[in-house]
Amino acid sequence: MNADAFERYCFLRLYAVDLDTALHTIKVLRHYKRADVQYPLLRDIAVTYVRPFSGNKGEHFQKDQLSTRKHVPKPMRELHDELVRARMEQFAHTDLKFYRPKIAKFRGSRKPWFPMGFKGYDYGTLLKRLPQIEMLIRAVESSVQAEIANYETTL
């Protein structure tokens, strides 16, 4: 196996760890009923699941990532795209495109103050999709494991 192929193999193994971590976090999330615990765990699941698709730096590759077309089943792409969007625009970044902040100016007795409103994320709706999220992660993990097995035939 040449150096580029070996690096790709290493990335795939790390992506499998990310996906396994997301699945374990789902198990943890199911033990809690309070939103103040569930929502951060749900955010962690999304961030960890999307990590392999987000572009990762290697020594031979400037950017390595899983192919959505290759690893995400077509019927699950809408949910995948929602998780990617949430991760890239809000969970792991602070994009104005998502938040669309509105700032007002109020005059008080001492000095003006500037409250801000912005779009939040609907964790409750995403939480209701947890069974589908788990199926998505398992499907991607299975696809990644199959690609890993192909590489391992050359080791």
Side-chain angles (χ1 to χ4, degrees):
M1 179 181 300
N2 67 34
D4 287 351
F6 184 72
E7 182 166 300
R8 177 66 179 157
Y9 169 74
C10 290
F11 270 121
L12 289 167
R13 295 287 305 270
L14 291 170
Y15 297 158
V17 170
D18 288 334
L19 297 167
D20 186 59
T21 299
L23 289 170
H24 283 320
T25 306
I26 288 173
K27 288 180 185 177
V28 172
L29 186 149
R30 288 193 171 120
H31 290 285
Y32 294 95
K33 301 299 175 211
R34 291 178 31 189
D36 65 331
V37 176
Q38 287 182 322
Y39 292 177
L41 290 171
L42 189 58
R43 184 177 57 236
D44 183 70
I45 291 163
V47 169
T48 305
Y49 165 74
V50 175
R51 189 180 297 139
F53 296 96
S54 66
N56 303 286
K57 295 177 185 172
E59 293 179 19
H60 297 273
F61 297 113
Q62 291 288 46
K63 186 176 182 183
D64 188 86
Q65 64 190 58
L66 286 182
S67 163
T68 299
R69 176 179 283 153
K70 184 175 182 178
H71 293 286
V72 179
K74 238 182 192 174
M76 298 177 161
R77 289 200 185 141
E78 179 272 324
L79 177 56
H80 168 83
D81 291 345
E82 169 63 18
L83 293 172
V84 169
R85 188 204 58 72
R87 188 237 190 232
M88 299 306 273
E89 294 179 1
Q90 184 184 14
F91 295 166
H93 302 276
T94 303
D95 289 354
L96 289 179
K97 178 182 165 185
F98 174 82
Y99 284 101
R100 298 181 187 173
K102 305 289 185 223
I103 299 174
K105 180 179 181 180
F106 291 109
R107 298 197 188 278
S109 59
R110 303 180 101 172
K111 66 177 189 173
W113 54 289
F114 302 89
M116 180 174 71
F118 55 88
K119 180 181 174 184
Y121 192 79
D122 185 0
Y123 286 95
T125 298
L126 191 59
L127 189 60
K128 290 177 186 171
R129 298 182 77 184
L130 191 61
Q132 292 87 4
I133 293 169
E134 182 176 14
M135 288 190 306
L136 168 63
I137 296 170
R138 288 190 187 286
V140 172
E141 182 185 43
S142 176
S143 177
V144 168
Q145 290 295 349
E147 190 172 349
I148 288 169
N150 284 339
Y151 275 93
E152 289 176 345
T153 62
T154 65
L155 290 178

